[in-house]
Amino acid sequence: MASNANAHRSMASALLFLNLIMYVVVAIIAGWAINYSIDESENSLEGVSPPVRLFPIYFPMAMGNLATGFFVIFALVTGVVGIATSLTGLRDVSEGLPANMMSAASSALVAWTLTLLAMGLACKEISVSWRSASLRTLEAFTIILAGTQLLCATSLHAGTHAVILGTPIGGRV
């Protein structure tokens, strides 16, 4: 049973590392998009109606559509939470204790639900209109991350189950 737990832990570690890299890319692109929109919002807000001025970040039509602001902000939050989840998950999986595995699995579920939210906004943005290449890249990474994060959370839950079954009462793996 210990080899089964080790197999789940190694697969979870590989998925956590892959997700860490992808979440870093999502956070970088989303941060760049927010910076770009802040820099360009002064020029693009000339002659715009007052309700649009209430939203502090306005994405010019050359960069996106009306769903872009929400998508980019949620993608940035998802990226930061995903980075934190992946880093702590890698540490927890390397220790291999049942409590640590449960912590990594629950954190992975939180990151997955945020990724699903960002993916839903990406799908809405895709259905609305054309976007720039950087936003299409961010959308693609977000959609792919929704799948890989689900695999990672599933692997962590299976690894938790295997570690619990293979651990003697009061002992380590």
Side-chain angles (χ1 to χ4, degrees), residues 79-91:
V80 171
V81 170
I83 290 169
T85 297
S86 297
L87 287 173
T88 58
L90 284 168
R91 182 188 54 86

Side-chain angles (χ1 to χ4, degrees), residues 3 17 21 29 33 47-49 52-55 63 73 98 102-103 115 142 157-160 168 170 172:
S3 65
F17 184 73
I21 300 300
I29 295 173
V48 178
S49 64
V52 173
R53 288 186 166 276
L54 296 178
F55 194 63
M63 184 169 171
I73 289 170
M102 285 185 240
S103 171
T115 306
T142 304
H157 277 282
T160 300
R172 286 185 61 121

Side-chain angles (χ1 to χ4, degrees), residues 50-69:
V52 173
R53 288 186 166 276
L54 296 178
F55 194 63
I57 301 172
Y58 177 71
F59 289 85
M61 289 307 288
M63 184 169 171
N65 52 49
L66 294 177
T68 303

Side-chain angles (χ1 to χ4, degrees), residues 36-127:
Y36 175 80
S37 66
I38 289 171
D39 289 343
E40 295 297 317
S41 64
E42 184 177 318
N43 298 334
S44 60
L45 285 177
E46 294 175 7
V48 178
S49 64
V52 173
R53 288 186 166 276
L54 296 178
F55 194 63
I57 301 172
Y58 177 71
F59 289 85
M61 289 307 288
M63 184 169 171
N65 52 49
L66 294 177
T68 303
F70 297 108
F71 167 61
V72 171
I73 289 170
F74 278 107
L76 183 62
V77 170
T78 299
V80 171
V81 170
I83 290 169
T85 297
S86 297
L87 287 173
T88 58
L90 284 168
R91 182 188 54 86
D92 289 342
V93 168
S94 68
E95 291 179 9
L97 296 173
N100 291 357
M101 294 292 287
M102 285 185 240
S103 171
S106 62
S107 296
L109 280 178
V110 170
W112 179 61
T113 56
L114 282 172
T115 306
L116 281 180
L117 179 61
M119 184 197 76
L121 289 166
C123 292
K124 180 63 178 177
E125 187 174 47
I126 289 169
S127 69

